[in-house]
Amino acid sequence: MPASLSWCWNSGDAVAFVSHRGPLYIWTISGADSGVAVHKEAHSFLSDICLFRWHPRKKGKVVFGHTDGSLSIFQPGCKSQKHVLRPESLEGTDEEDPVTALEWDPLSTDYLLVANLHNGIRLVDSESLSCITTFSFPSAAASVQCLAWVPTAPGMFITGDSQVGVLRVWNVSKTTPIDNFKLKKTGFHALHVLNSPPKKKTFLAQSPTKNHHISSTSEAVPPPTLTQNQAFSLPPGHAVCCFMDGGVGLYDMGAKKWDFLRDLGHIETIFDCKFKPDDPNLLATASFDGTIKVWDINTLTAVYTSPGNEGVIYSLSWAPGDLNCIAGATSRNGGFIWDVKKGKMITRFNEHGKNGIFCISWSHKDSKRIATCSGDGFCIIRTIDGKILHKYKHPSAVFGCDWSQNNKDMIATGCEDKNVRVYYLATSSDQPLKVFTGHTAKVFHVRWSPLREGILCSGSDDGTVRIWDYTQDACINVLSGHTAPVRGLMWNTEIPYLLISGSWDYTIRVWDTRDGTCLDTVYDHGADVYGLTCHPNRPFTMASCSRDSTVRLWSLTPLISPLQINILADRPWEEIIGNTDRAMEPGAPPLLCGKVSRDIKQEVDKLSNNLRSKKLRWFSECLSPPGGSKNLWDLVAVLKGQDDSLLPQNYCKGIMHMRHLVRFKTSKAQELTTVKMSKFGGGIGAPSKEERLKEAAEIHLRLGQIQRYCELLVELGEWDKALSVAPGVSMKYWKKLMQRRASQLIEEENDDVIPYCIATGDVKKLVNFFTSRGQLKEALLVAQAACEGNIQSNHASVTAVSPTDGNNIEDYNE
């Protein structure tokens, strides 16, 4: 296995790679010299190689980092240096301390940054073989996973920690980080700084230079005071960050914010995907990276991820209904049930030992039964608490199984011996009821048709999909077209003849099984297509997953455009909904034959008014892809004058009608301020009370509710901010707020009270403050100034002060 690879410095079409202790191979991909050559000197090392880097400018210069912490440097025409510059603390020991990151200084020919797992980062000189600077971390536990120079700021570099997602910014002239940003809970995988910032959208703005004339009478603006660290301004730059949990983002270091962040993702092949039975918006995926993730397909973000690494997960199956559990099947660690909401594994199955389980299937007709099939040749049916009901022995490995949709006791399997078998659980026999032969290579997945009783399909390594009729004991069609083994298989739940398959040839094919024609071929995936699935409530939105580590969503509605037109044109029901036999007639136009369409018809037939809009709404939610159709229909209802109290709970999360904006925002702000913290706080990652109050204050400010804004700032202790905008409410309110602040400062015996009292003309309070502290001269000065009329108590009001105001001249004289 190559440990490290990179493009060669000297040509666009040569790749260098290395493994273990060398040698360094150089593979020229094309041209007259194509082939693999061996580097003359870079071989027979004494320690394994972790990674290597070509010098960006000095041709042919290359450095290797080893697991024992040393470096090896080669440069044409110079003596090669092997195993030099080990961290000092390791000298004379045989401890390992692998090099985790290496980068040449882009501005020098000899300087090099090197990070060791335990010994941190050093700047070394590859010419004199000396260490120039050793950088130190705030905590001994921190270790570096990756580092990168910042091209726009000479001498600056950034590092990513391996355990926690902390991005640190450094300057070579300072041994400690200039700044640390905790970006994520999980560690970094890789870092790269863009040479030029991403293109920003430009808005035509007024030229900023107008009216900025500075004259000798302009107010002087003092230079901002800098702390030691700010003196190194943060580099303007964008870092591409990849994390161990599959998160990928673009971080703007100058603005300290994400330009883009995909928070979680799979970092390896995705073998299986399934929609949650009671929620067509949640899709679960199982991956080679050892996790199952659950995605919200409206926002395309992962909302749950399974705990820990389970090895390779080949297959998953949701529990029926709203049980909120997922069964998973792994390559070495048996099967498991994961309780999604509780976030923990609640059961494990190990009847197959260490053999891989290729498929797991939870019966949706009888929720106590789970089937698994394995490389050990057994298909095992057990109850969820682990009691074995049946063990069906096959001549070799079993790869797929599927419960019949019509008979709860019928299950089909696909086997390495090229056969499809059907078992009947209601008998005690362990022999199959039927064996279908015909494939010329191993059979992988099998799928029963949801609409046609007794019909099932199978996909094989021979590149074909076969359709079998259980009642006739026969293969009724062979779908040929894929050029590699077939993996993903899915029947459409509304159109009885539509079948979709995915293959190792990177394509997805759509078939009309009446005559075996391929209606469409999709080439978008970059690798093998393993899983295909759709939700019965949204039968024309399909998800696919692949070895390219992506999940993709597809709309199948172009295949049924005549139907959509019939619905929009309000044609009679028989042109929209039919029975399976009519729809299966060769050449018949597509008809909906599934449960969802029948349910819509039943509901429409019950209605007495508003028929058309309800019918359109229900069909739209069934046919449209996710991400907005519900929102659209909520807005239609608002425009048609529906009572606001009927709007769904999540209406405010989507696009709202103008007239609701302020109302919903106000209630959001109120919600933020009234949430009482529970005894243990809001849980990990929940916003603190301060953060919630700040957010609420910002909303109130934008809604023009200045007084509410001021009161929240006061609660946060930001008095000066509150006082600076308080006059926007009224001078009276400002004065009241000043007096509250003054009273508070007097209680704290804080000298800062003086300006507050003088600004509000509260001479008495101030004199009392001074006398109580024995500062009689100060008190006298203020009283005298007031006598001479310098301290006005009536800033806030235009009317003359009445003598009963208590702050009159006589009092000052006294």
Side-chain angles (χ1 to χ4, degrees), residues 641-674:
Q642 171 193 296
D643 182 359
D644 286 352
S645 64
L646 298 172
L647 285 170
Q649 203 99 65
N650 57 0
Y651 167 69
C652 56
K653 292 203 173 79
I655 295 170
M656 280 190 268
H657 192 278
M658 299 273 273
R659 69 166 187 244
H660 296 134
L661 197 56
V662 170
R663 198 176 81 211
F664 272 106
K665 279 294 183 192
T666 308
S667 65
K668 164 117 173 72
Q670 279 163 348
E671 203 178 294
L672 285 164
T673 45
T674 53

Side-chain angles (χ1 to χ4, degrees), residues 296-311:
D296 175 338
I297 62 169
N298 292 296
T299 55
L300 295 177
T301 51
V303 285
Y304 301 104
T305 178
S306 61
N309 189 320
E310 294 290 328

Side-chain angles (χ1 to χ4, degrees), residues 56-83:
R57 296 212 314 276
K58 200 156 186 182
K59 292 209 160 156
K61 187 167 186 175
V62 62
V63 60
F64 294 83
H66 298 279
T67 50
D68 68 354
S70 66
L71 303 178
S72 298
I73 300 149
F74 300 92
Q75 169 174 351
C78 297
K79 179 175 177 289
S80 56
Q81 303 288 345
K82 278 192 184 173
H83 300 293

Side-chain angles (χ1 to χ4, degrees), residues 415-420 436-444 458-466 468 478 480:
C415 176
E416 194 168 19
D417 72 351
K418 311 173 192 171
N419 293 336
V420 174
F436 294 116
T437 57
H439 279 299
T440 57
K442 76 175 182 223
V443 179
F444 215 86
S458 57
S460 160
D461 280 18
D462 63 17
T464 67
V465 176
R466 282 178 176 253
W468 312 91
V478 180
S480 306

Side-chain angles (χ1 to χ4, degrees), residues 98 114 131 258 324 384 438 638 674:
V114 50
C131 173
W258 288 108
N324 263 325
I384 42 180
V638 171
T674 53

Side-chain angles (χ1 to χ4, degrees), residues 153-175:
M156 296 285 245
F157 63 94
I158 57 173
T159 60
D161 283 20
S162 60
Q163 299 302 314
V164 184
V166 179
L167 180 75
R168 304 182 195 275
V169 182
W170 308 73
N171 189 298
V172 287
S173 59
K174 191 167 184 286
T175 58

Side-chain angles (χ1 to χ4, degrees), residues 96-165:
E96 302 265 282
D97 186 12
V99 173
T100 55
L102 265 183
E103 296 297 339
W104 290 103
D105 181 343
L107 299 177
S108 120
T109 50
D110 306 318
Y111 286 6
L112 173 70
L113 269 179
V114 50
N116 292 70
L117 187 60
H118 307 299
N119 272 283
I121 311 171
R122 295 168 296 150
L123 179 66
V124 299
D125 182 339
S126 63
E127 206 54 35
S128 67
L129 299 185
S130 57
C131 173
I132 301 160
T133 315
T134 302
F135 297 93
S136 48
F137 279 86
S139 113
S143 62
V144 176
Q145 170 65 29
C146 46
L147 56 85
W149 291 92
V150 180
T152 50
M156 296 285 245
F157 63 94
I158 57 173
T159 60
D161 283 20
S162 60
Q163 299 302 314
V164 184

